[in-house]
Amino acid sequence: METKPHKFCPGCGHGIALRALGQAIDELGIQDRTVFGCDIGCSLLAWDFFNVDTVQTHHGRTTPVMTGIKRANPDLICIAYMGDGGGYAIGSQHLVNAAGRNEKITVILANNTQYAMTGGQMAPTTLPGQKTETTPYGRDVEWTGLPAQGPEMVAAIAPEGAYVARGTVSKVRQLQKMYVRALLNQIEGRGFSFVETLATCPTNWRTNAEKTWAFLEKQMPEYFRVGELKVPVTTEETLKSADSRRRPEVLRKASRRGEEE
Amino acid sequence: MRVIRIVEAYVGEYASGKSEVAINRALELVRTGKPVTLVDLDLVEPCYTLRPIKKELMAQGIKVLAWETRGTVGFGETGNILRAEIPWALKRPGHIVFDVGYGVGGARTLELVAGIDREPSFQVLAVINTRRPMTGTVADIVEYVRNLAPVHGLINNTHLGDETPADAVQEGARTVSEAGRRLGIPVVATTVVAEVADSIGPVDCEHNPVRVLRRYMPRAFW
Amino acid sequence: MTGLSESTSANRPAARAGSSATIPVPGEKRVFMTGNEVVAWAAIAARADIMYGYPITPQNEVMHYWTRLAPKFGKEFLQTEDELAAGFTTIGGVLAGKKAFTATAGPGNILMQEPASMAEMMRLPVVVVIMQRGGPSTATVIYSQQEVILTTFGGNGEGFRIVYSTSGLQELYDYTIKAFNTAWRYRFPVFVLADGYQAKMREPLTIYDPLARGMELVPPEQYVGRPGMPGVDRPPGHYRNTYNTEEELYEILQGHVQEYERVAPEIMEHESLETEDADLLIIAHGVVGRAAKQAVEQLREEGLKVGCFRPVTLRPLSAGALRDAVSRAKRILVVESAYGQLGKLVRDALCGLVVEMFSLYKPGVGVTPEEVVIRSKELIA
């Protein structure tokens, strides 16, 4: 897919995540059978971003719409792209149930610790003490609980065959590898795949570049551990077979870039 | 061997006529002078059941083990909670007739009844209406009855409600009898309302006995 | 290479069962069925591909029968976590180009209005069957006509949807088939509005293969996943339901308005009985319409000039025909198992006409022909 400028704020994590996703789609050669669903929130700015079929859904309903498409036409690769609210608040029952049923879709959730599009309200992922429009004095853990541990929950519920990971836009090559593994999990028909993506929102965090990256790289990982949480046992074989299917120019690029992280 | 009492369970497809046949059987048995108990085992979404006509049947001398509809409010949406007296139905004297609701469990629903496996004369009868699409052909009936397991006898209750012509009943008799031959299960009777029974006679075209049905179930909604 | 096609096709019931049957009823047959069951059989006859659903009384047998029949005819089913998901997965099904449907009732219908709004905005051909039960809230599982306003104008839109109200099992079969055709031909969400009585009642009807009767079955079309590389062989399908400015939204909605109004005359249906010279005109829908017709027959035998107008489509309502019938009458009597929901639709359609309007409102309770006769006699004196 060609590149074009996006509509997100400068410094937005979505831009980095979507670029990594686009490259993963290219790497796997699935552009012509990908369906991309986006939720309400900043994710919806991506509705006409890619040259793939896209459906913008109601808030929290991207998971069931993609589930419905996949069940009706399993040949399509269905990606449900959403934010913390769409996955952990209004969409949580759909996430939990899709994971429990091992639906063969890929859910990618951008975690930037607040509801950005609507002006920065508390999200299930807001950090303790973090100030948002609905926690002007800082998130009170006694009153509202601790930040949601989404991938941990999904990994605990999802059956064998699911792929669950948490990546970060500060480690793009690792993130892209997670997206590739997640999509391969769907392509191979193994099960549910879920990648939470720690993402930046300097606009609502009201942070300069330095403080933005500090928040992402130092404070967020205190509550959100980056890494793979659940990997189906056959993934190594899958990756080898995937390597043999990677397009030659991608392999050349990868070897020029050197070792991945 | 002298049969001490009759213990029968009526099973079958949804809306096949199990309750109607069970009620009529209970009323027939009441005339023998022995006590008769009729048990409501409708567990899947009981709407046409014994509940609304419990009082009417009790007045005819049958002991009915079922909720009254009013008593099921608040017990969940449809109130298909098992009444405490039902698992012990076999402890009651006299004849026992079970009206077993449809469902994937089939005749295994009867495992809820204590002692059913030791009851000497226990019989499971499958009620079949060949005008119901799921049990319309010999093959469908054979597959369906095999899934109900165990079944000891078949009842041809083929009808089209108020517009039942006699030849529909006879066609049903032929289909059910052929299914019975393939299953190795006898056809016990053809059940039919009085007006149609007149034009068929005491036996149907396959020489199965014809039993006349009086309709109670149209009054039995929820 | 282990492929997508291999692993997914093994999961398809049709492939497992080796089934090649597509037609449940080769020609026609006179049968004895229950309402929910009729819906499942009609959907198969309409060549529906997939049902998504969630359990709620009194429509559960739609799913019980669909799941029993599905493997024999290569159909699919997904039980979702709630009615929100049932509606949104149905949207997914139609986007993928399959004839998809769902069914619900009561509180589930309330949840269903959220996906219905999305379908309305994006003109998606979902089919939803409603078996009305007592309301509001949990109320009873039995019966009502209290979901009329919810089904015709639920959601945060203008009600650009089609609602059929059936009055018995033959209509339930006929209109479930028709619902798929209407949805895919006109691209508005279509509802089949029935009730708990129809869902559970047993009566004879004729089931048939619509193709054997020479009826057309409108084929579905893919919104996503069409062949070809998006951006190269074909434009990508970019679908949304959100707009940035009032003007954008207004333009889109104007398009909906024009199309809806253009096709409404083709879609609207009603039934009239003895309305040409009626002094008293009874207006009723669904099973109450059936009772009203019986009442009219009885009243006419007694020499009383009573007629009945039964809307079959509640959206779009046959307003012209209704106004016509009403203009000849002296009084009208709206009868329903609700407290004025049909009444509201009727008043809206009759705006400007002067006529005395009376009511027989029994929310959540069935109405017998006898009750209609008694009320009519009060009014015709």
Side-chain angles (χ1 to χ4, degrees), chain A residues 31-33 35 44 47-48 50-58 61 64-65 67-69 71-76 93-94 97 101 103-104 186-189 245, chain C residues 1-2 4 7-8 12 50 52 78-79 81-82 84-85 88-89 92-93 95-96 98 114 118 222 224-225 228-231 234 236-242:
Chain A
Q31 183 188 348
D32 60 347
R33 54 191 176 110
V35 182
L44 81 78
W47 82 284
D48 63 348
F50 289 133
N51 268 329
V52 296
D53 294 330
T54 303
V55 186
Q56 171 253 315
T57 75
H58 282 197
R61 315 301 176 209
V65 174
T67 298
I69 294 176
R71 287 281 180 151
N73 187 352
D75 293 337
L76 298 177
Q93 89 249 44
H94 304 308
N97 280 275
R101 288 194 306 262
E103 294 290 348
K104 295 173 184 55
Q186 182 179 161
I187 293 167
E188 296 295 318
R245 273 183 291 142
Chain C
M1 117 186 149
T2 58
L4 174 72
S7 56
T8 51
R12 309 292 273 293
I50 183 165
Y52 304 88
L78 176 66
Q79 180 171 322
E81 55 272 22
D82 56 28
L84 293 167
F88 282 106
T89 46
L95 287 169
K98 302 286 176 176
E114 197 202 324
M118 183 169 158
Q222 285 171 297
V224 299
M229 177 66 76
R234 61 167 176 92
H238 286 162
Y239 302 102
R240 60 167 168 164
N241 49 68
T242 177

Coordinates of all heavy atoms in Angstrom, one line a residue, chain A residues 31-33 35 44 47-48 50-58 61 64-65 67-69 71-76 93-94 97 101 103-104 186-189 245, chain C residues 1-2 4 7-8 12 50 52 78-79 81-82 84-85 88-89 92-93 95-96 98 114 118 222 224-225 228-231 234 236-242:
Chain A
Q31 N -3.6 -7.8 1.4 CA -4.3 -6.6 1.2 C -5.7 -6.8 0.5 O -6.7 -6.2 0.8 CB -3.5 -5.6 0.3 CG -4.2 -4.3 0.1 CD -3.4 -3.4 -0.8 OE1 -2.3 -3.7 -1.2 NE2 -4.0 -2.3 -1.3
D32 N -5.7 -7.8 -0.5 CA -7.0 -7.9 -1.2 C -8.0 -8.8 -0.5 O -9.1 -9.0 -1.0 CB -6.7 -8.6 -2.6 CG -6.0 -9.9 -2.5 OD1 -5.6 -10.3 -1.4 OD2 -6.0 -10.6 -3.5
R33 N -7.7 -9.2 0.7 CA -8.8 -9.9 1.4 C -8.9 -9.4 2.9 O -9.4 -10.1 3.7 CB -8.7 -11.4 1.4 CG -7.4 -12.0 1.8 CD -7.4 -13.5 1.4 NE -6.1 -14.1 1.7 CZ -5.9 -15.0 2.7 NH1 -6.9 -15.4 3.4 NH2 -4.7 -15.5 2.9
V35 N -10.3 -6.9 5.8 CA -11.4 -6.0 6.1 C -11.0 -5.3 7.4 O -10.6 -6.0 8.4 CB -12.8 -6.7 6.3 CG1 -13.8 -5.6 6.6 CG2 -13.1 -7.5 5.0
L44 N -11.4 6.0 14.4 CA -12.2 6.2 13.2 C -11.6 7.1 12.1 O -12.0 7.1 11.0 CB -13.6 6.6 13.5 CG -14.0 8.0 13.8 CD1 -14.2 8.9 12.6 CD2 -15.4 8.0 14.6
W47 N -10.7 5.5 8.8 CA -11.7 4.8 8.0 C -11.5 4.8 6.5 O -11.9 3.9 5.8 CB -13.1 5.4 8.3 CG -13.4 6.7 7.6 CD1 -12.9 7.9 7.8 CD2 -14.2 6.7 6.4 NE1 -13.4 8.8 6.9 CE2 -14.2 8.1 6.0 CE3 -15.0 5.8 5.6 CZ2 -14.9 8.6 4.9 CZ3 -15.7 6.3 4.5 CH2 -15.6 7.6 4.1
D48 N -10.8 5.8 6.0 CA -10.5 5.8 4.6 C -9.0 5.9 4.3 O -8.6 6.4 3.3 CB -11.2 7.0 3.9 CG -10.7 8.3 4.4 OD1 -10.0 8.4 5.4 OD2 -11.0 9.4 3.8
F50 N -6.6 3.3 4.4 CA -6.0 2.2 3.7 C -6.8 1.8 2.4 O -8.0 2.0 2.4 CB -6.0 0.9 4.6 CG -5.0 1.0 5.7 CD1 -5.4 0.6 7.0 CD2 -3.7 1.4 5.6 CE1 -4.6 0.6 8.1 CE2 -2.8 1.4 6.6 CZ -3.2 1.0 7.9
N51 N -6.0 1.3 1.5 CA -6.7 0.7 0.3 C -7.1 -0.7 0.7 O -6.7 -1.7 0.1 CB -5.8 0.7 -0.9 CG -5.9 1.9 -1.7 OD1 -7.0 2.5 -1.8 ND2 -4.9 2.3 -2.4
V52 N -8.0 -0.8 1.7 CA -8.6 -2.1 2.0 C -10.1 -1.8 2.3 O -10.4 -0.6 2.6 CB -8.0 -2.8 3.2 CG1 -6.6 -3.2 3.0 CG2 -8.1 -2.0 4.5
D53 N -11.0 -2.8 2.3 CA -12.4 -2.5 2.6 C -12.4 -2.2 4.1 O -11.8 -2.9 4.9 CB -13.2 -3.8 2.3 CG -13.3 -4.1 0.8 OD1 -13.2 -3.1 0.0 OD2 -13.4 -5.2 0.4
T54 N -13.1 -1.1 4.4 CA -13.2 -0.6 5.8 C -14.6 -0.4 6.3 O -15.4 0.1 5.5 CB -12.4 0.7 5.9 OG1 -11.1 0.5 5.4 CG2 -12.4 1.2 7.3
V55 N -14.9 -0.7 7.5 CA -16.2 -0.4 8.1 C -16.0 0.3 9.4 O -15.4 -0.3 10.3 CB -17.0 -1.7 8.3 CG1 -18.4 -1.4 8.7 CG2 -17.1 -2.6 7.1
Q56 N -16.6 1.5 9.5 CA -16.6 2.2 10.7 C -17.9 1.8 11.5 O -18.9 1.9 10.9 CB -16.5 3.7 10.5 CG -16.7 4.5 11.7 CD -18.0 5.2 11.8 OE1 -18.5 5.8 10.8 NE2 -18.7 5.2 12.9
T57 N -17.7 1.4 12.7 CA -18.9 0.8 13.5 C -19.3 1.8 14.6 O -18.7 2.8 14.8 CB -18.6 -0.5 14.0 OG1 -17.7 -0.4 15.2 CG2 -17.9 -1.4 13.0
H58 N -20.3 1.3 15.4 CA -20.6 2.0 16.6 C -19.6 1.7 17.7 O -18.8 0.8 17.6 CB -22.0 1.5 17.1 CG -23.2 2.1 16.4 ND1 -24.4 2.1 16.9 CD2 -23.2 2.7 15.2 CE1 -25.2 2.7 16.0 NE2 -24.5 3.1 15.0
R61 N -18.5 -1.8 19.2 CA -19.2 -2.8 18.4 C -18.3 -3.3 17.2 O -18.8 -4.1 16.4 CB -20.5 -2.4 17.9 CG -21.4 -1.7 18.9 CD -21.7 -2.5 20.1 NE -22.5 -1.7 21.1 CZ -22.5 -1.9 22.4 NH1 -21.8 -2.8 22.9 NH2 -23.3 -1.1 23.1
P64 N -17.9 -7.3 17.4 CA -19.0 -8.2 16.8 C -19.2 -8.0 15.3 O -19.5 -8.9 14.6 CB -20.2 -7.8 17.6 CG -19.9 -6.5 18.3 CD -18.4 -6.5 18.5
V65 N -19.0 -6.8 14.8 CA -19.2 -6.6 13.3 C -18.1 -7.4 12.6 O -18.4 -8.1 11.6 CB -19.1 -5.1 12.9 CG1 -19.2 -5.0 11.4 CG2 -20.3 -4.3 13.5
T67 N -16.6 -10.0 13.8 CA -17.0 -11.4 14.0 C -18.0 -11.9 13.0 O -17.9 -13.0 12.5 CB -17.5 -11.6 15.5 OG1 -16.5 -11.3 16.4 CG2 -18.0 -13.0 15.7
G68 N -19.0 -11.0 12.8 CA -20.1 -11.4 11.9 C -19.6 -11.5 10.5 O -20.0 -12.5 9.8
I69 N -18.7 -10.7 10.1 CA -18.1 -10.8 8.7 C -17.3 -12.1 8.6 O -17.5 -12.9 7.6 CB -17.2 -9.6 8.4 CG1 -18.1 -8.3 8.3 CG2 -16.5 -9.8 7.0 CD1 -17.3 -7.1 8.0
R71 N -17.5 -14.9 10.3 CA -18.4 -16.0 10.4 C -19.1 -16.3 9.0 O -19.4 -17.4 8.6 CB -19.4 -15.9 11.5 CG -18.8 -16.1 12.9 CD -18.6 -17.5 13.2 NE -18.0 -17.7 14.5 CZ -18.3 -18.8 15.3 NH1 -19.0 -19.8 14.8 NH2 -17.7 -18.9 16.5
A72 N -19.4 -15.1 8.4 CA -20.1 -15.3 7.1 C -19.2 -15.6 5.9 O -19.5 -16.3 5.0 CB -20.9 -14.0 6.8
N73 N -17.9 -15.0 6.0 CA -17.0 -15.3 5.0 C -15.6 -15.5 5.6 O -14.8 -14.6 5.7 CB -16.9 -14.1 4.0 CG -16.0 -14.4 2.8 OD1 -15.3 -15.4 2.7 ND2 -16.1 -13.5 1.8
P74 N -15.3 -16.7 6.0 CA -14.0 -17.0 6.7 C -12.8 -16.7 5.8 O -11.7 -16.7 6.4 CB -14.1 -18.5 7.0 CG -15.6 -18.8 6.9 CD -16.1 -17.9 5.9
D75 N -12.9 -16.5 4.5 CA -11.7 -16.3 3.7 C -11.2 -14.9 3.9 O -10.0 -14.6 3.6 CB -12.0 -16.4 2.2 CG -12.4 -17.9 1.9 OD1 -11.9 -18.8 2.6 OD2 -13.1 -18.1 0.9
L76 N -12.0 -14.0 4.5 CA -11.5 -12.6 4.7 C -10.7 -12.5 6.0 O -11.0 -13.2 6.9 CB -12.7 -11.7 4.8 CG -13.6 -11.6 3.5 CD1 -14.8 -10.7 3.8 CD2 -12.8 -11.1 2.4
Q93 N -17.7 -6.7 26.9 CA -18.4 -8.0 26.8 C -18.2 -8.6 25.5 O -18.1 -9.9 25.4 CB -19.9 -7.9 27.2 CG -20.8 -7.6 26.0 CD -21.4 -6.3 26.1 OE1 -20.7 -5.3 26.4 NE2 -22.7 -6.2 25.8
H94 N -18.0 -7.8 24.4 CA -17.8 -8.4 23.1 C -16.4 -9.0 23.0 O -16.1 -10.0 22.5 CB -18.0 -7.4 22.0 CG -19.4 -6.8 22.1 ND1 -20.5 -7.6 22.2 CD2 -19.8 -5.5 22.1 CE1 -21.6 -6.7 22.2 NE2 -21.2 -5.5 22.2
N97 N -16.2 -12.2 25.1 CA -16.9 -13.4 24.5 C -16.2 -13.8 23.2 O -16.1 -15.0 22.9 CB -18.3 -13.0 24.3 CG -19.2 -13.2 25.5 OD1 -19.6 -14.2 25.9 ND2 -19.3 -12.1 26.3
R101 N -14.7 -17.5 22.7 CA -15.1 -18.4 21.6 C -14.0 -18.6 20.6 O -14.1 -19.3 19.7 CB -16.3 -17.8 20.8 CG -17.6 -17.8 21.6 CD -18.8 -17.5 20.6 NE -18.6 -16.3 19.9 CZ -19.2 -15.1 20.3 NH1 -19.9 -15.0 21.4 NH2 -19.0 -14.0 19.5
E103 N -12.8 -16.6 18.5 CA -13.2 -16.1 17.1 C -11.9 -15.8 16.3 O -10.9 -15.3 16.9 CB -14.0 -14.8 17.3 CG -15.3 -14.9 17.9 CD -16.4 -15.7 17.1 OE1 -16.1 -15.9 15.9 OE2 -17.4 -16.0 17.6
K104 N -11.9 -16.2 15.1 CA -10.7 -16.1 14.3 C -10.6 -14.7 13.7 O -10.5 -14.6 12.5 CB -10.6 -17.2 13.3 CG -10.5 -18.5 14.0 CD -10.6 -19.7 13.0 CE -10.6 -21.0 13.8 NZ -11.6 -21.2 14.8
Q186 N -4.5 -15.7 12.5 CA -5.8 -15.7 11.8 C -5.7 -16.4 10.5 O -6.6 -17.2 10.2 CB -6.4 -14.3 11.7 CG -7.8 -14.3 11.0 CD -8.4 -12.9 10.8 OE1 -9.3 -12.8 10.1 NE2 -7.9 -11.9 11.6
I187 N -4.7 -16.1 9.7 CA -4.5 -16.7 8.4 C -4.5 -18.2 8.6 O -5.1 -19.0 7.8 CB -3.3 -16.2 7.7 CG1 -3.4 -14.7 7.4 CG2 -3.0 -17.0 6.5 CD1 -2.1 -14.0 7.0
E188 N -3.8 -18.7 9.6 CA -3.6 -20.1 9.8 C -4.8 -20.7 10.4 O -4.9 -21.9 10.7 CB -2.4 -20.4 10.6 CG -1.1 -20.0 10.0 CD -0.8 -20.8 8.7 OE1 -1.0 -22.0 8.7 OE2 -0.3 -20.2 7.7
G189 N -5.8 -19.9 10.8 CA -7.1 -20.4 11.4 C -6.9 -21.0 12.7 O -7.6 -21.9 13.2
R245 N 7.2 -17.6 2.8 CA 6.2 -17.0 1.9 C 6.4 -15.5 1.8 O 5.7 -14.8 1.1 CB 4.8 -17.3 2.4 CG 4.2 -18.6 1.9 CD 2.8 -18.7 2.4 NE 2.8 -19.0 3.9 CZ 1.9 -18.4 4.7 NH1 0.9 -17.7 4.2 NH2 1.9 -18.7 5.9
Chain C
M1 N 0.9 -26.1 1.4 CA 0.9 -25.2 2.5 C -0.4 -25.3 3.3 O -1.4 -25.4 2.6 CB 1.3 -23.8 2.0 CG 0.2 -22.7 2.2 SD 0.8 -21.3 1.3 CE -0.8 -20.6 0.9
T2 N -0.4 -25.3 4.6 CA -1.6 -25.3 5.3 C -2.3 -24.0 5.0 O -1.7 -23.0 5.1 CB -1.4 -25.4 6.8 OG1 -0.7 -24.3 7.3 CG2 -0.8 -26.7 7.2
L4 N -5.7 -21.3 4.6 CA -6.9 -20.7 5.2 C -8.1 -21.6 4.7 O -8.9 -22.0 5.5 CB -7.1 -19.3 4.7 CG -8.3 -18.6 5.1 CD1 -8.3 -18.3 6.5 CD2 -8.5 -17.3 4.3
S7 N -8.5 -25.1 6.6 CA -8.9 -25.1 8.0 C -10.3 -24.5 8.1 O -11.1 -25.0 8.9 CB -8.0 -24.3 8.9 OG -7.8 -23.0 8.4
T8 N -10.7 -23.5 7.3 CA -12.0 -23.0 7.5 C -13.1 -23.9 6.9 O -14.1 -24.0 7.5 CB -12.1 -21.6 6.8 OG1 -11.7 -21.7 5.5 CG2 -11.3 -20.6 7.6
R12 N -17.1 -25.8 8.2 CA -18.4 -25.5 7.7 C -19.3 -26.8 7.7 O -18.9 -27.8 7.2 CB -18.3 -25.1 6.2 CG -17.3 -24.0 6.0 CD -17.7 -22.6 6.6 NE -18.6 -21.8 5.8 CZ -18.2 -21.2 4.7 NH1 -17.0 -21.4 4.2 NH2 -19.0 -20.5 4.0
I50 N -27.2 -17.3 7.1 CA -26.7 -17.3 8.4 C -27.6 -16.6 9.4 O -28.2 -15.6 9.0 CB -25.2 -16.7 8.5 CG1 -24.6 -16.8 9.9 CG2 -25.2 -15.3 8.0 CD1 -23.1 -16.6 9.9
Y52 N -27.7 -15.1 13.4 CA -27.0 -14.7 14.6 C -28.1 -14.5 15.6 O -29.2 -13.9 15.3 CB -26.2 -13.5 14.4 CG -25.2 -13.5 13.3 CD1 -25.5 -13.1 12.0 CD2 -23.9 -13.9 13.5 CE1 -24.6 -13.1 11.0 CE2 -22.9 -13.9 12.5 CZ -23.3 -13.5 11.2 OH -22.4 -13.5 10.2
L78 N -24.5 -18.4 14.8 CA -23.7 -18.0 15.9 C -24.6 -17.5 17.0 O -25.4 -16.6 16.8 CB -22.7 -16.9 15.5 CG -21.8 -16.4 16.6 CD1 -20.9 -17.5 17.1 CD2 -21.0 -15.2 16.2
Q79 N -24.4 -18.1 18.2 CA -25.1 -17.5 19.3 C -24.2 -16.5 19.9 O -23.0 -16.8 20.3 CB -25.5 -18.6 20.4 CG -26.2 -17.9 21.6 CD -26.7 -18.9 22.6 OE1 -27.3 -19.9 22.2 NE2 -26.6 -18.6 23.8
E81 N -23.2 -13.0 22.5 CA -23.3 -12.7 23.9 C -24.4 -11.9 24.4 O -24.8 -11.9 25.6 CB -21.9 -12.1 24.4 CG -21.6 -10.8 23.7 CD -20.7 -11.1 22.4 OE1 -20.8 -12.2 21.9 OE2 -20.1 -10.1 22.0
D82 N -25.1 -11.2 23.5 CA -26.3 -10.4 23.8 C -26.9 -10.0 22.5 O -26.4 -10.3 21.4 CB -25.9 -9.3 24.7 CG -24.9 -8.3 24.2 OD1 -24.7 -8.2 22.9 OD2 -24.2 -7.7 25.0
L84 N -27.1 -6.9 21.4 CA -26.3 -5.9 20.7 C -25.4 -6.6 19.7 O -25.3 -6.3 18.5 CB -25.4 -5.2 21.7 CG -26.1 -4.2 22.7 CD1 -25.1 -3.8 23.8 CD2 -26.6 -3.0 22.0
A85 N -24.7 -7.7 20.2 CA -23.8 -8.5 19.4 C -24.6 -9.2 18.3 O -24.2 -9.3 17.1 CB -23.0 -9.4 20.2
F88 N -25.2 -6.6 15.6 CA -24.0 -6.1 14.9 C -23.3 -7.2 14.1 O -22.7 -7.0 13.1 CB -23.0 -5.5 15.9 CG -23.4 -4.1 16.3 CD1 -24.0 -3.8 17.6 CD2 -23.3 -3.0 15.4 CE1 -24.4 -2.5 17.9 CE2 -23.6 -1.7 15.7 CZ -24.2 -1.5 17.0
T89 N -23.4 -8.5 14.6 CA -22.9 -9.6 13.8 C -23.8 -9.8 12.6 O -23.2 -10.1 11.5 CB -22.8 -10.9 14.6 OG1 -24.0 -11.1 15.3 CG2 -21.6 -10.9 15.6
G92 N -22.5 -7.5 10.2 CA -21.3 -8.1 9.6 C -21.6 -9.1 8.5 O -21.0 -9.1 7.4
G93 N -22.6 -10.0 8.8 CA -23.1 -11.0 7.8 C -23.5 -10.3 6.5 O -23.1 -10.8 5.4
L95 N -22.7 -7.3 5.4 CA -21.6 -6.7 4.7 C -20.7 -7.7 3.9 O -20.2 -7.4 2.9 CB -20.7 -6.0 5.8 CG -21.2 -4.8 6.4 CD1 -20.4 -4.4 7.7 CD2 -21.3 -3.6 5.5
A96 N -20.7 -8.9 4.5 CA -19.9 -10.0 3.8 C -20.7 -10.5 2.6 O -20.2 -11.4 1.9 CB -19.6 -11.1 4.8
K98 N -23.9 -11.9 2.7 CA -24.7 -13.1 2.9 C -26.1 -12.6 3.4 O -26.3 -11.6 4.0 CB -24.1 -14.0 4.1 CG -22.7 -14.4 3.8 CD -22.7 -15.5 2.8 CE -21.3 -15.9 2.5 NZ -21.2 -17.0 1.6
E114 N -29.9 -0.4 18.7 CA -28.6 0.3 18.4 C -28.1 -0.2 17.1 O -27.8 0.6 16.2 CB -27.6 0.0 19.6 CG -26.5 1.0 19.4 CD -25.2 0.6 20.1 OE1 -25.3 0.0 21.2 OE2 -24.1 0.9 19.6
M118 N -27.6 1.7 13.1 CA -26.4 1.7 12.1 C -26.9 1.2 10.8 O -26.5 1.7 9.7 CB -25.3 0.8 12.7 CG -24.1 0.7 11.9 SD -22.7 -0.1 12.7 CE -21.7 -0.6 11.3
Q222 N -21.9 -8.5 -2.1 CA -20.9 -8.2 -1.1 C -20.7 -6.7 -1.0 O -20.5 -6.0 -2.0 CB -19.6 -8.8 -1.5 CG -19.5 -10.3 -1.3 CD -18.3 -10.9 -1.9 OE1 -18.1 -10.8 -3.2 NE2 -17.4 -11.5 -1.1
V224 N -18.0 -5.9 1.4 CA -16.6 -6.0 1.6 C -16.1 -7.4 1.0 O -16.9 -8.3 0.9 CB -16.2 -5.9 3.1 CG1 -16.6 -4.6 3.7 CG2 -16.8 -7.1 3.9
G225 N -14.9 -7.4 0.7 CA -14.3 -8.7 0.2 C -14.6 -9.0 -1.2 O -14.5 -10.2 -1.6
G228 N -10.5 -8.9 -6.3 CA -9.7 -7.8 -6.9 C -8.9 -7.1 -5.8 O -9.4 -7.0 -4.7
M229 N -7.8 -6.5 -6.2 CA -7.0 -5.7 -5.3 C -7.6 -4.3 -5.1 O -7.8 -3.6 -6.1 CB -5.6 -5.6 -5.8 CG -4.7 -4.8 -4.9 SD -4.4 -5.5 -3.3 CE -3.2 -6.8 -3.8
P230 N -8.0 -4.0 -3.9 CA -8.5 -2.6 -3.6 C -7.5 -1.5 -4.0 O -6.3 -1.6 -3.7 CB -8.9 -2.6 -2.1 CG -8.4 -3.8 -1.6 CD -7.8 -4.7 -2.6
G231 N -8.0 -0.5 -4.7 CA -7.0 0.6 -5.1 C -6.4 0.3 -6.4 O -5.8 1.2 -7.0
R234 N -10.1 -2.4 -8.2 CA -11.5 -1.9 -7.8 C -11.2 -0.8 -6.7 O -10.2 -0.9 -6.0 CB -12.4 -3.0 -7.3 CG -11.8 -3.7 -6.1 CD -12.9 -4.6 -5.4 NE -12.4 -5.3 -4.3 CZ -12.4 -4.9 -3.0 NH1 -13.0 -3.7 -2.8 NH2 -12.0 -5.7 -2.1
P236 N -11.6 0.6 -3.0 CA -11.8 0.0 -1.7 C -13.2 0.4 -1.3 O -13.7 1.4 -1.6 CB -10.8 0.6 -0.8 CG -10.4 1.9 -1.4 CD -10.6 1.7 -2.9
G237 N -13.9 -0.5 -0.6 CA -15.2 -0.2 0.0 C -14.9 0.5 1.4 O -14.5 -0.2 2.3
H238 N -15.2 1.8 1.5 CA -15.0 2.5 2.7 C -16.4 2.9 3.2 O -17.0 3.7 2.6 CB -14.1 3.7 2.5 CG -12.7 3.4 2.3 ND1 -11.8 4.3 1.7 CD2 -11.9 2.3 2.6 CE1 -10.6 3.8 1.7 NE2 -10.6 2.6 2.2
Y239 N -16.8 2.2 4.3 CA -18.1 2.5 4.8 C -18.1 3.1 6.2 O -17.4 2.7 7.1 CB -18.9 1.1 4.9 CG -18.9 0.4 3.6 CD1 -18.0 -0.7 3.4 CD2 -19.8 0.8 2.6 CE1 -18.1 -1.3 2.1 CE2 -19.8 0.1 1.4 CZ -19.0 -0.9 1.2 OH -19.0 -1.6 0.0
R240 N -18.9 4.2 6.3 CA -19.0 4.8 7.6 C -20.4 5.3 7.9 O -21.3 5.3 7.0 CB -18.1 6.1 7.6 CG -18.5 7.1 6.5 CD -17.8 8.4 6.7 NE -17.9 9.3 5.6 CZ -17.7 10.6 5.6 NH1 -17.2 11.1 6.7 NH2 -17.8 11.3 4.5
N241 N -20.6 5.7 9.2 CA -21.9 6.2 9.6 C -21.8 7.5 10.3 O -22.7 7.9 11.0 CB -22.7 5.1 10.4 CG -21.8 4.6 11.5 OD1 -21.4 5.3 12.5 ND2 -21.4 3.3 11.4
T242 N -20.6 8.1 10.2 CA -20.4 9.4 10.9 C -20.0 10.5 9.9 O -19.3 10.2 8.9 CB -19.3 9.2 12.0 OG1 -19.0 10.4 12.6 CG2 -18.0 8.7 11.3

